[in-house]
Amino acid sequence: MLVYILRRVLLGLSVLLAAIVATFCIFFLGPSDPAGALCGRQCTPDRIVQIEKDLGLNKPKTEQFVTYTKGLVAGNDLGGKKCDAPCLGWSYVQNRPVTDMVKQAFPVTVSIVIGGIVVYSTLGILFGMIAARFRGKPLDRVIVGVSQFVTSIPYFVLAQLFFLYAMVYYGLIPRAKYTSILDNPFTWFTGLLGIWLFYGTVLSANYVRYVRASMIDVQNQDYIRTARSKGLGERKIAISHALRAGIAPFLTLLGLAVAAELGGAIFTERIFGLQGMGNLALTSFDTSDLPVIAGVVVVGAVIIVSLNLLVDLLYGLVDPRVKLS
Amino acid sequence: MSLGAGTEATMVADADERAPGPAPREGKSPTQIALERLRKDKVAIACLFVIGFFVLVAILAPVLVSIAGVDDQLHLDQVNPLTGLASFQSNADHPFGVKARTGEDLFYQWAYGARPSLVVGIAASALTMVVGVTMGLLAGFLGGVVDTVVSWIVDFLLSLPFLLMAIGIVPIALQRFGNPDSSGFIEEGRESTIRFIVLICVLVLFTWPTVARLIRGEVLSLREREFVQAARSLGMPTKRVVMRELLPNLTGPMIVNLTILIPAFIATEAGLSFLGVGLKDPTYSWGQTISQGVTFFDSYPIWMWIPTISVSLLVLALSLFGDAVSDAFNPQTRR
Amino acid sequence: MRWTTVVALATAGTLSLAACGGSGSSGTNSNNDAGASNTALGDAYEKVPASAGQRPDVKGPAPEIAGAKKGGTLTFNSDVTPESTDPSTQYYQDTAAIMKLTTRTLTAYRMEGGKSVLVPDMATDLGQKSKDGLQWKFTLKPNLKYDDGTPIKASDVAYSIKRSFATEELPGGPTFQIDYFKDGDKYKGPWKSGDTYSGVEADDAKGVITINLARKFETLSYFASFTMFGAIPKAKDTKTNYQLKWAATGPYKVQSYTKGSSLTLVKNTNWDAASDPARHQYPDTIQFNFGKDAATTAKAIMADNGIDQTSLTYDGVNAAVLQQALGAKRKQVASGPSNCVNWNGSTMDVNKIPLEVRKAVAAAWPIDQIHQAAGETPFDYSPGGTIGAPQVPGFTKFNLPEFPGKGQGDPAKAKAMLQAAGKLNFELSYYYSNDDEAAKNVNKVKVAQLTKAGFKVKAIGVSKTERRKKVRDPKAPVNLGQGVNTGWCYDWPQGDSIYPPLFNSTLPNNSGAGNIRDKALDKEMADIANLPVAEQGAKWTALDKKILQKYVPLVPNAYSKGSMIFGSKVHNVVIDPNQGIGDFPSIWVG
């Protein structure tokens, strides 16, 4: 067991390191002009050189990479600008540590994802089980049909329409607004409820079919047949055996959903006007604020890697069919 | 988001495939049995018609636009210079209306927009399957170091946030492969070709790991099955074991995955174009048109709705068809 | 001022940056006419009182606005996120407008019936200059306080100015102080060079700030309205973090600020209305939300439900609500001249394009088509055929026949001119952003028209980022649209903030407009700049005409406008023509 965990952790770390290298290569070796973006209108070549020097852009790329990685672990002192560990770099545009900006955006995205997952797993499991139970019947067809339909429409169109009609024009659902849960749990809840409902419902459309398929799959397994032959009731089987097996893929999906949301947040946050990681990245693209984008990517990779690790470990605890080896 | 939908859809297939592929019986391969079942599925046939329609639109785009008598030029005179909008939604000259401000014809963009959607969907998913299946087979069958390396690459690629990486990679690839002249000049046609290729590569790069992971799992379980064990103990060469025994049994999952990937890629292309990293003028795409038209959905609805409905319909048809295929291969999942 | 806004105009349509949006004529209506704000479209520049000028004798408080109510919450939503809110370095129209609420400066603009007038703010007057013009003294009004009740000292103002020299720690701010102040090029701010700087001195006992100059700076009174001329208590300075929590001296103070997301301002009880001629304190709370999609914000405000009734945006009039803004909802739009003039990429390298050809380009230039393709609306511009903006005091608006500042251009005439000069098929080459929808459309228009006029056109599509680099590249192998190519926003309403930064021969290649290399012109500009401010306007007008006719370095396309849209319970939104954005402290809700 310990060996297994250790091996998974090491694997995760190596993946993470590679992700940092890849991020650095893509975002710092590519064509961009952060000095020009900062220099402004009365920009002389001298000033560009000065800014590049200030930002350390004139140094060899390898040295920049070492500085970057060192900053992640031990913090940095960038030309008099103190950047504590884990230092994700310094935002050219906003003139402050990227870590601070990510710290500020992170809870927003996490709040959206967590609430969304609660909604989507509730709806998904509920309707998925119903559909599986009434397999082939009209109810099953309706559930599957609706979920197919919803997933076919581009998400950003749905989100835009939902936002304008439900929140702005008719005010059916409170306007999305983020307050920290630490400041005021109530406004945190009401402010994000609309997004959770929307995001969770749309996501659950996918999940319904997934739950349905895995329930049907599980019901055909030998140990369920055994349970049935022992005379256990259908409902009890569904809840105690089948659902338990269904949780394992749910965990996988959880990891994937978080990964997808880290990207998908760009749409959700952009359209609903919330300042999470996605919006942070998008704004930074507009201003060529590369360290910020790279920071978001690195943090995203850290989250995905650790979630996958967690899922792998939980998998073994939950699913009777999986053995840690 | 669209990608999320795609990846999860792939996972649906994963669950479907957990049931072992039916062993050959009555001399018919699993594929033949499945095709037979499919032929009797009314929904599948209806979906085929819808898909066929859009394929025809894509192929016949030049003919369609010349019948409609529209072009890709600016028609500044078609719109009110003050509001920037045309006074009509649809008329004989411009059946799907014109864009705000520039007066570019939307029928033209719709007809030609069908092409990239389909090409991206089909080309990217075919490539994804080739790479994914190859890697999955290698890892699953050879095991050992190869398995470790492939699995590590899979883990690595899946740990990168896809959308952000895509946004970052596109401009870099343009710069690298666009062969700009001394003044940075890249021909417009060339640029859009590069964007097209880069888009497909990015989609493949970040999706093959999912497929590889799935196939690897399949191979691992097949490897232990009696017929493979038997073939190996009889001294059949590895190549033949793979070609004769493994691949035919993987056809089901592969086809199912293909039908899931195509609509997912089409939706992803739309999403990327919405963010401005997908395809660009003069390569028209529905995603692009939607993203431009979405702000005008109340004052000039036809702009957004035609491509939205088209994408939705195509994706719906493809994924229903995919379900039908999946059912055909795994009859116990339905009915 | 604030270069990014010009960029914004050029890229209108995508993520439009703050300020250069806008319509009509804030000047035509009385700005005290609450609610019924000024949306008459068309060329209203003639109606704008031409001379804003300076009024050194004005005392506080600011005259009450008729009908204005106190209380309530005012909400601003914007797509644009302020990059720096550090008073020493902020350099943007939107940030300046926001900080006017919290930060008093030595001098300030105040709105007087559509005119924007420079008045003394923290200082008792607009500065006293020495005979040789190389030393300026500003005296603080007595009993000025920070929001925590501690007194504002002259040395705090000096400290704020000194911080602006620390371009390494706090980059991105204005740089006039470095050019004009004594030893400005040597002093590197209080952290690197220490507190003592001969350019800025303070006498706390008398409340006097003394500024020593390296060369004459007749328009320093205007420059003193920048937030770097506010006050920063040294003890509370947190260097790069000061932008997150700054001491307030104006009618509002920061309650909370989440950079990139939201800013909440509440009343500052230690603000003394009686000493402040430029600000009011009407709403109880002012809320700013940043990074809000412009189209949805605009639709929400026009829908006018709930909180949107007391909301407004300075993102201009989004295309999504244009029809409403022109029709039923025109009362929810405020629009007026901004400090920008627009020439839409028409800068011509005078060393590469012969004069005759430049004239032909001017004749062919498709002004109206460019506006339309770029998505610029009557809320963004009005016709304009000069380099300077007409609201500059003393400037007289004129129209040369060769530079109508509007119209579709005449390709046939241009072709004839080319033929006459024997330059048919002359190659024009320029960069455009191929990752921007509006820029691409504009390019299509230009290529079509210029080709029709007998030019050979080489349009080079590059990314926005790449283009920003290329247009400044001194060695770029193109001849059109280089340097300050989209237009110019002046930093203060006088010619020294317009012409020398564009046409001085000492500018590096492609850093100004047209690369004119004429020492005589340099001297002419320097001479005008050294005149007393009141005498300059007329001279600059003549120079404007001369530059256009003699050098043809660019084709003026339009005067830019600033526009804001607001809910039905927001009142007295007036565009400050010197800022191109509303005067926030005058707005009330109810």
Side-chain angles (χ1 to χ4, degrees):
Chain A
M1 183 70 186
L2 199 68
V3 178
Y4 174 78
I5 293 176
L6 206 67
R7 222 179 56 204
R8 295 298 310 174
V9 170
L10 278 179
L11 188 70
L13 281 180
S14 69
V15 163
L16 209 59
L17 187 68
I20 292 169
V21 176
T23 307
F24 184 85
C25 290
I26 288 180
F27 292 104
F28 289 89
L29 305 185
S32 69
D33 182 23
L38 261 191
C39 188
R41 147 198 126 186
Q42 291 173 326
C43 190
T44 59
D46 290 349
R47 195 145 180 242
I48 288 251
V49 171
Q50 179 63 38
I51 290 175
E52 281 180 346
K53 200 180 131 221
D54 295 350
L55 299 176
L57 296 174
N58 54 345
K59 296 198 184 114
K61 296 287 182 191
T62 43
E63 200 183 321
Q64 287 187 42
F65 178 71
V66 171
T67 315
Y68 187 78
T69 322
K70 187 192 146 239
L72 276 175
V73 184
N76 257 337
D77 187 42
L78 306 158
K81 294 164 183 160
K82 206 167 139 35
C83 179
D84 294 325
C87 172
L88 292 166
W90 194 269
S91 161
Y92 304 138
V93 176
Q94 295 209 351
N95 197 26
R96 64 185 186 129
V98 174
T99 315
D100 285 6
M101 299 166 74
V102 172
K103 258 188 207 154
Q104 188 183 305
F106 189 63
V108 181
T109 305
V110 170
S111 299
I112 298 176
V113 175
I114 287 177
I117 282 174
V118 170
V119 174
Y120 102 85
S121 45
T122 314
L123 290 180
I125 291 176
L126 186 68
F127 284 105
M129 283 177 72
I130 294 175
R133 190 78 193 275
F134 297 95
R135 169 155 55 128
K137 306 252 167 60
L139 190 58
D140 175 31
R141 296 271 166 91
V142 169
I143 291 174
V144 172
V146 168
S147 83
Q148 288 274 22
F149 180 72
V150 170
T151 29
S152 300
I153 305 169
Y155 178 78
F156 54 88
V157 172
L158 276 182
Q160 187 102 6
L161 295 180
F162 174 82
F163 174 69
L164 280 174
Y165 282 102
M167 290 186 171
V168 175
Y169 291 172
Y170 298 110
L172 305 173
I173 291 168
R175 199 74 63 83
K177 190 177 191 305
Y178 176 79
T179 3
S180 168
I181 190 169
L182 302 174
D183 291 352
N184 189 339
F186 181 71
T187 47
W188 174 80
F189 182 81
T190 52
L192 293 174
L193 187 64
I195 291 196
W196 291 338
L197 288 176
F198 174 75
Y199 168 66
T201 310
V202 175
L203 255 189
S204 74
N206 260 306
Y207 189 47
V208 161
R209 282 177 291 150
Y210 183 61
V211 172
R212 175 183 174 275
S214 70
M215 290 295 291
I216 291 171
D217 177 34
V218 168
Q219 274 169 16
N220 291 324
Q221 298 285 320
D222 297 341
Y223 70 99
I224 299 280
R225 293 209 190 108
T226 316
R228 212 175 268 139
S229 66
K230 278 196 306 194
L232 281 178
E234 275 300 316
R235 180 179 297 174
K236 195 150 186 224
I237 292 172
I239 290 171
S240 70
H241 287 77
L243 188 61
R244 187 151 173 239
I247 283 178
F250 165 72
L251 286 174
T252 312
L253 204 64
L254 186 90
L256 280 174
V258 173
E261 164 60 15
L262 284 174
I266 292 186
F267 295 108
T268 311
E269 290 166 10
R270 183 80 201 144
I271 289 165
F272 292 96
L274 291 173
Q275 305 307 317
M277 307 261 284
N279 230 342
L280 180 63
L282 203 63
T283 320
S284 309
F285 272 115
D286 287 338
T287 48
S288 302
D289 203 353
L290 298 181
V292 182
I293 311 164
V296 173
V297 172
V298 167
V299 172
V302 171
I303 293 162
I304 296 171
V305 167
S306 29
L307 256 167
N308 282 339
L309 187 65
L310 197 69
V311 166
D312 279 351
L313 298 178
L314 285 178
Y315 226 96
L317 297 178
V318 169
D319 192 324
R321 292 171 299 179
V322 176
K323 287 234 158 60
L324 299 180
S325 55
Chain B
M1 197 54 245
S2 338
L3 183 82
T7 19
E8 279 148 38
T10 318
M11 292 305 297
V12 177
D14 192 0
D16 285 350
E17 262 78 74
R18 192 159 296 131
R25 93 195 102 140
E26 293 165 33
K28 280 182 181 169
S29 77
T31 316
Q32 280 168 321
I33 301 169
L35 277 178
E36 233 163 68
R37 286 201 197 98
L38 209 54
R39 226 168 284 145
K40 288 178 198 141
D41 192 332
K42 284 196 196 98
V43 177
I45 301 299
C47 289
L48 263 186
F49 270 105
V50 174
I51 298 164
F53 169 74
F54 285 114
V55 171
L56 271 184
V57 169
I59 294 171
L60 297 179
V63 182
L64 291 177
V65 299
S66 72
I67 292 173
V70 293
D71 58 27
D72 60 348
Q73 298 301 305
L74 303 188
H75 296 283
L76 297 179
D77 53 333
Q78 290 289 321
V79 301
N80 178 343
L82 213 54
T83 63
L85 294 176
S87 55
F88 57 89
Q89 294 279 325
S90 165
N91 65 14
D93 290 340
H94 303 284
F96 287 176
V98 295
K99 278 165 86 167
R101 310 202 304 254
T102 55
E104 288 162 284
D105 184 76
L106 287 169
F107 181 79
Y108 187 96
Q109 305 203 352
W110 174 78
Y112 275 96
R115 291 181 160 188
S117 291
L118 286 164
V119 174
V120 164
I122 293 165
S125 39
L127 265 174
T128 304
M129 288 312 296
V130 171
V131 179
V133 169
T134 313
M135 299 304 255
L137 270 177
L138 284 177
F141 199 78
L142 297 180
V145 181
V146 180
D147 187 19
T148 313
V149 170
V150 171
S151 298
W152 186 86
I153 296 176
V154 166
D155 276 346
F156 163 61
L157 284 173
L158 288 181
S159 75
L160 298 171
F162 163 77
L163 268 177
L164 293 174
M165 292 311 254
I167 298 173
I169 288 172
V170 170
I172 292 168
L174 267 183
Q175 208 58 31
R176 284 284 139 81
F177 306 112
N179 291 335
D181 72 8
S182 62
S183 51
F185 183 60
I186 306 176
E187 278 170 66
E188 208 170 58
R190 189 182 164 79
E191 173 178 344
S192 64
T193 316
I194 293 170
R195 272 183 179 274
F196 205 87
I197 294 168
V198 169
L199 179 67
I200 290 177
C201 291
V202 165
L203 289 175
V204 172
L205 181 68
F206 287 97
T207 322
W208 75 259
T210 329
V211 177
R213 194 178 258 184
L214 173 76
I215 296 292
R216 175 179 167 272
E218 288 288 323
V219 173
L220 280 183
S221 78
L222 283 175
R223 209 170 61 168
E224 306 310 319
R225 293 277 293 280
E226 299 82 2
F227 61 97
V228 179
Q229 297 281 5
R232 292 180 89 180
S233 59
L234 285 175
M236 199 190 262
T238 309
K239 196 178 164 194
R240 268 191 77 186
V241 176
V242 171
M243 293 313 235
R244 282 281 172 84
E245 304 295 336
L246 283 183
L247 267 184
N249 276 291
L250 289 173
T251 324
M254 279 163 62
I255 292 181
V256 171
N257 250 282
L258 201 61
T259 54
I260 285 162
L261 284 177
I262 296 175
F265 281 151
I266 292 177
T268 307
E269 184 275 317
L272 284 176
S273 295
F274 177 76
L275 291 178
V277 287
L279 301 172
K280 282 273 158 99
D281 188 17
T283 313
Y284 300 110
S285 83
W286 288 337
Q288 215 184 113
T289 316
I290 297 172
S291 74
Q292 292 161 359
V294 77
T295 28
F296 297 92
F297 79 89
D298 37 12
S299 52
Y300 202 72
I302 197 170
W303 189 352
M304 177 196 89
W305 280 116
I306 296 272
T308 302
I309 292 169
S310 304
V311 163
S312 307
L313 210 58
L314 181 58
V315 170
L316 184 63
L318 280 165
S319 44
L320 283 178
F321 186 70
D323 276 10
V325 171
S326 152
D327 285 350
F329 278 99
N330 302 291
Q332 75 266 41
T333 53
R334 193 183 278 183
R335 284 177 278 269
Chain C
M1 122 173 26
R2 294 107 217 221
W3 50 282
T4 42
T5 57
V6 183
V7 177
L9 197 66
T11 62
T14 48
L15 290 174
S16 67
L17 286 162
C20 272
S23 117
S25 55
S26 69
T28 54
N29 296 353
S30 155
N31 59 332
N32 293 344
D33 186 359
S37 295
N38 52 48
T39 33
L41 296 171
D43 183 4
Y45 271 88
E46 287 87 346
K47 296 172 197 155
V48 176
S51 173
Q54 306 182 340
R55 284 186 60 190
D57 52 337
V58 167
K59 304 266 185 295
E64 278 303 308
I65 291 163
K69 291 189 192 122
K70 283 189 178 285
T73 298
L74 181 65
T75 307
F76 286 84
N77 291 315
S78 174
D79 198 1
V80 188
T81 299
E83 285 172 2
S84 172
T85 42
D86 189 302
S88 295
T89 59
Q90 74 76 23
Y91 197 12
Y92 295 89
Q93 285 164 314
D94 52 348
T95 322
I98 294 167
M99 294 195 81
K100 191 175 178 188
L101 293 162
T102 62
T103 306
R104 293 186 65 176
T105 41
L106 289 177
T107 65
Y109 294 100
R110 92 162 173 195
M111 296 301 296
E112 293 184 352
K115 279 197 271 183
S116 175
V117 182
L118 191 77
V119 298
D121 184 357
M122 288 204 294
T124 51
D125 53 27
L126 296 176
Q128 296 293 330
K129 69 175 169 180
S130 62
K131 271 230 170 75
D132 61 2
L134 291 177
Q135 188 181 64
W136 286 66
K137 282 184 191 297
F138 292 90
T139 311
L140 287 186
K141 287 172 182 166
N143 302 322
L144 297 173
K145 291 191 184 75
Y146 290 108
D147 53 332
D148 63 358
T150 52
I152 296 172
K153 293 176 296 191
S155 53
D156 295 349
V157 179
Y159 182 68
S160 173
I161 303 171
K162 286 174 194 163
R163 277 172 100 251
S164 73
F165 287 86
T167 50
E168 198 162 316
E169 295 91 340
L170 302 171
T175 51
F176 303 99
Q177 71 281 20
I178 295 169
D179 297 341
Y180 282 99
F181 287 18
K182 192 180 167 198
D183 296 331
D185 49 344
K186 294 187 195 96
Y187 185 67
K188 298 291 174 204
W191 297 293
K192 286 221 162 59
S193 308
D195 267 340
T196 317
Y197 166 48
S198 57
V200 182
E201 288 158 356
D203 180 345
D204 282 342
K206 291 189 188 133
V208 173
I209 298 116
T210 307
I211 292 171
N212 296 309
L213 298 172
R215 55 191 173 106
K216 273 175 92 172
F217 193 178
E218 291 302 302
T219 43
L220 178 61
S221 309
Y222 286 116
F223 186 38
S225 70
F226 277 61
T227 49
M228 68 166 75
F229 295 87
I232 295 178
K234 192 182 175 187
K236 289 197 178 161
D237 185 12
T238 48
K239 212 167 165 184
T240 52
N241 276 336
Y242 190 71
Q243 54 170 330
L244 302 176
K245 177 91 184 157
W246 61 98
T249 52
Y252 292 88
K253 61 180 176 185
V254 181
Q255 188 189 51
S256 69
Y257 178 42
T258 313
K259 188 158 179 173
S261 171
S262 68
L263 168 69
T264 311
L265 300 178
V266 292
K267 282 187 175 180
N268 169 11
T269 47
N270 280 309
W271 170 71
D272 174 24
S275 72
D276 193 333
R279 294 173 188 81
H280 300 278
Q281 193 185 45
Y282 291 127
D284 289 334
T285 309
I286 302 182
Q287 173 71 36
F288 290 87
N289 300 314
F290 306 115
K292 297 278 187 188
D293 178 64
T296 39
T297 296
K299 283 178 181 165
I301 289 175
M302 286 308 191
D304 205 28
N305 288 325
I307 193 178
D308 297 320
Q309 291 181 328
T310 54
S311 298
L312 66 166
T313 179
Y314 43 82
D315 291 347
V317 179
N318 192 275
V321 297
L322 198 53
Q323 253 176 336
Q324 290 165 291
L326 288 160
K329 301 276 189 177
R330 56 175 22 181
K331 282 197 165 166
Q332 286 177 239
V333 187
S335 196
S338 84
N339 50 336
C340 304
V341 170
N342 186 334
W343 43 82
N344 279 327
S346 65
T347 47
M348 292 173 273
D349 193 322
V350 300
N351 307 312
K352 290 182 180 171
I353 308 178
L355 181 64
E356 292 313 309
V357 180
R358 301 204 294 274
K359 284 181 176 168
V361 172
W365 200 251
I367 295 177
D368 288 357
Q369 296 96 309
I370 290 176
H371 286 315
Q372 190 182 334
E376 291 162 16
T377 71
F379 295 110
D380 299 316
Y381 73 93
S382 62
T386 60
I387 304 167
Q391 69 268 31
V392 168
F395 192 91
T396 320
K397 195 186 164 210
F398 62 86
N399 260 105
L400 298 167
E402 314 91 286
F403 299 100
K406 61 181 172 193
Q408 308 235 326
D410 188 344
K413 187 179 157 201
K415 195 165 192 171
M417 290 163 78
L418 273 186
Q419 234 148 8
K423 298 279 185 193
L424 216 53
N425 289 323
F426 185 89
E427 185 182 89
L428 295 173
S429 51
Y430 58 88
Y431 297 106
Y432 73 98
S433 311
N434 60 3
D435 51 357
D436 178 86
E437 200 53 38
K440 282 198 305 194
N441 289 332
V442 167
N443 179 53
K444 283 183 190 165
V445 165
K446 285 182 189 168
V447 170
Q449 179 93 346
L450 292 173
T451 311
K452 206 169 156 193
F455 294 99
K456 199 172 150 224
V457 182
K458 185 181 177 192
I460 303 168
V462 291
S463 73
K464 258 181 281 185
T465 331
E466 194 65 13
R467 179 170 175 273
R468 198 164 48 208
K469 231 190 293 189
K470 298 270 188 203
V471 296
R472 275 191 327 250
D473 179 2
K475 295 190 190 84
V478 297
N479 55 20
L480 186 68
Q482 289 294 96
V484 183
N485 60 86
T486 42
W488 186 252
C489 303
Y490 63 70
D491 285 281
W492 53 79
Q494 202 43 265
D496 62 337
S497 165
I498 304 175
Y499 304 93
L502 291 174
F503 304 116
N504 215 313
S505 69
T506 55
L507 290 168
N509 219 19
N510 291 332
S511 288
N515 298 331
I516 299 171
R517 300 278 170 264
D518 187 341
K519 294 279 172 219
L521 181 64
D522 289 357
K523 181 165 188 318
E524 210 175 334
M525 291 192 292
D527 287 349
I528 303 176
N530 285 336
L531 291 172
V533 171
E535 296 167 26
Q536 290 187 16
K539 303 269 188 190
W540 289 120
T541 313
L543 185 80
D544 195 310
K545 213 176 275 186
K546 180 178 164 185
I547 291 174
L548 279 176
Q549 283 179 318
K550 186 176 170 189
Y551 301 99
V552 199
L554 52 89
V555 189
N557 277 209
Y559 302 132
S560 295
K561 288 181 184 173
S563 291
M564 296 177 62
I565 56 173
F566 46 85
S568 58
K569 289 187 176 164
V570 178
H571 304 284
N572 198 41
V573 183
V574 185
I575 306 297
D576 180 339
N578 284 327
Q579 311 286 334
I581 193 167
D583 182 42
F584 296 174
S586 315
I587 300 172
W588 57 275
V589 292

